């Protein structure tokens, strides 16, 4: 019976890439959301009357 | 901006849990494939991300049609969200496929019909964002996006069907593979459990990320509108 080839390094690399990509994407959504919230606060301070909606 | 709905918070938690379970099933529960070894385990996430990637491109095309019919900007936000989330997932699909191909096919990349259509699909949607950036007028941008995703959406079924229609070395999971397919394998019951759970897990994560991205689009629109109001 042939031995199973050791390809675990490729497997680890694959899962690292998958989780890292998803993590970076989630972080980017979080950061964009935080920046927009800050912009919104600044705009409210600039002219609260025009932001009555 | 409206506060985060409780359902979305629950969905965040569920997404983390199901993704963790999917990783456990793929890495521990599923048996090691005898010919390829552990690298075969990337198959579960490869197919899972491909499924939501192509699903999002089709949903973006449907949202594009909805925008063209209704002219409602909410469909544009939905479309952008679908394309962005799917482009991210489809990038993972391509990288995982390449990593799997190295030991299975002895090459990182080959211009096989499936790999070529997948690469073209990814490039179409990367170009979508670059082209959108060049349009200032929101309505023109939305109209362009709708038509573009409608045409780009054709690449999703083509990418899915290409391994069933042409001679290719890419294995087929469901249906008959071509005679040239290399690296295919018969799934055991435990492999099928890991496979179908990964499909389910990525569907949940996809919905969660879509929801967040649609909300982000709404906030973006609100800030842009306020900037316009103040400058007037």
């Amino acid at each position: 019976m042939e031995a199973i080839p050791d390809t675990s390094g490729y497997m680890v690399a694959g899962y690292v890439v998958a989780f890292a990509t998803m993590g970076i994407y989630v972080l980017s959504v979080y950061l964009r959301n935080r920046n927009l919230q800050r912009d919104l606060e600044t705009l409210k301070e600039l002219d609260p009357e025009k932001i009555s909606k | 901006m409206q506060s985060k709905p409780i359902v979305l918070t629950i969905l965040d938690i569920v997404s983390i849990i199901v993704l963790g379970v999917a990783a456990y099933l793929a890495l521990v529960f599923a048996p090691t494939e005898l010919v390829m070894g552990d690298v075969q385990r990337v198959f579960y996430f490869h197919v899972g991300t491909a499924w939501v990637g192509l699903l999002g491109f089709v949903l973006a095309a449907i949202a594009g049609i909805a925008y063209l019919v209704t002219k409602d900007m909410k469909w544009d936000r939905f479309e952008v969200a679908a394309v962005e989330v799917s482009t991210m997932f489809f990038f993972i699909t391509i990288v995982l496929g390449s990593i799997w191909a190295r030991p299975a096919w002895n090459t990182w990349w080959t211009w096989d019909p499936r790999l070529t259509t997948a690469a073209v699909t990814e490039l179409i949607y990367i170009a979508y964002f670059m082209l959108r950036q060049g349009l200032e007028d929101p309505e023109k941008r939305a109209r362009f996006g709708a038509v573009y995703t409608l045409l780009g959406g054709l690449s999703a079924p083509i990418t899915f069907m290409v391994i069933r229609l042409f001679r290719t070395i890419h294995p087929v999971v469901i249906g008959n593979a071509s005679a040239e397919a290399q690296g295919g394998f018969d799934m055991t019951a435990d492999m099928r459990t890991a496979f179908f759970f990964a499909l389910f897990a990525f569907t949940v994560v996809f919905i969660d990320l879509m929801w967040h991205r649609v909300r982000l689009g709404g906030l973006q629109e609100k800030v842009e509108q306020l900037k316009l109001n103040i400058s007037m």
Side-chain angles (χ1 to χ4, degrees):
Chain A
M1 188 180 158
E2 279 186 44
I4 301 172
D6 180 14
T7 53
S8 54
Y10 293 103
M11 177 196 74
V12 172
Y15 278 90
V16 167
V17 169
F19 279 104
T21 306
M22 285 188 279
I24 289 167
Y25 182 72
V26 169
L27 184 68
S28 92
V29 172
Y30 167 77
L31 290 175
R32 281 182 284 170
N33 186 63
R34 195 188 63 178
N35 292 340
L36 285 168
Q37 293 284 6
R38 281 182 184 167
D39 286 354
L40 193 63
E41 291 305 313
T42 310
L43 288 167
K44 278 179 182 170
E45 283 168 21
L46 278 173
D47 198 342
E49 280 183 16
K50 285 187 177 174
I51 306 164
S52 53
K53 285 185 275 184
Chain B
M1 191 189 180
Q2 291 172 341
S3 60
K4 190 174 163 184
I6 184 76
V7 180
L8 183 54
T9 306
I10 293 168
L11 193 60
D12 288 344
I13 297 164
V14 171
S15 296
I16 293 167
I17 293 169
V18 292
L19 195 59
V21 173
Y24 169 79
L25 292 176
L27 295 170
V28 181
F29 178 78
T32 306
E33 206 274 332
L34 298 176
V35 178
M36 289 177 277
D38 282 328
V39 74
Q40 179 271 333
R41 295 177 192 277
V42 304
F43 153 82
Y44 305 107
F45 272 37
H46 173 70
V47 181
T49 53
W51 150 242
V52 289
L54 295 177
L55 173 72
F57 296 143
V58 172
L59 289 178
I62 294 168
I65 295 169
Y67 174 77
L68 291 172
V69 172
T70 65
K71 303 288 178 203
D72 189 336
M73 287 301 278
K74 77 176 177 195
W75 292 114
D76 183 58
R77 288 199 296 274
F78 186 89
E79 174 200 294
V80 173
V83 172
E84 189 178 288
V85 174
S86 289
T87 304
M88 182 273 295
F89 277 125
F90 211 59
F91 171 77
I92 296 174
T93 306
I94 292 171
V95 174
L96 288 184
S98 179
I99 288 171
W100 173 85
R102 182 68 185 91
W105 295 343
N106 204 29
T107 182
W108 294 103
W109 188 264
T110 177
W111 293 105
D112 171 83
R114 166 52 77 81
L115 276 68
T116 306
T117 52
V120 168
T121 299
E122 184 73 356
L123 291 173
I124 284 171
Y125 289 101
I126 290 171
Y128 165 85
F129 287 106
M130 293 164 74
L131 294 169
R132 267 186 80 100
Q133 293 266 324
L135 297 169
E136 290 282 329
D137 178 22
E139 279 185 19
K140 197 183 272 184
R141 197 167 53 203
R143 202 165 54 243
F144 160 79
V147 175
Y148 192 97
T149 49
L150 190 54
L151 296 174
L154 295 172
S155 65
I158 290 171
T159 303
F160 178 76
M161 290 304 295
V162 74
I163 53 174
R164 291 160 179 86
L165 298 175
F166 296 97
R167 289 170 62 169
T168 167
I169 60 169
H170 192 287
V172 177
V173 179
I174 298 161
N176 296 323
S178 91
E180 285 78 19
Q182 292 171 29
F185 58 93
D186 292 323
M187 278 195 278
T188 64
D190 288 348
M191 284 176 174
R192 272 196 294 275
T193 302
F195 171 69
F196 286 111
F197 193 85
L199 293 184
F200 165 73
F202 277 103
T203 307
V204 173
V205 175
F206 176 78
I207 294 167
D208 186 48
L209 290 177
M210 274 287 292
W211 194 339
H212 279 284
R213 186 58 186 83
V214 168
R215 279 168 55 84
L216 183 73
L219 182 60
Q220 209 163 9
E221 209 172 281
K222 189 176 179 181
V223 169
E224 278 174 17
Q225 192 57 50
L226 289 176
K227 280 179 182 170
L228 269 176
N229 288 351
I230 285 175
S231 66
M232 281 196 290

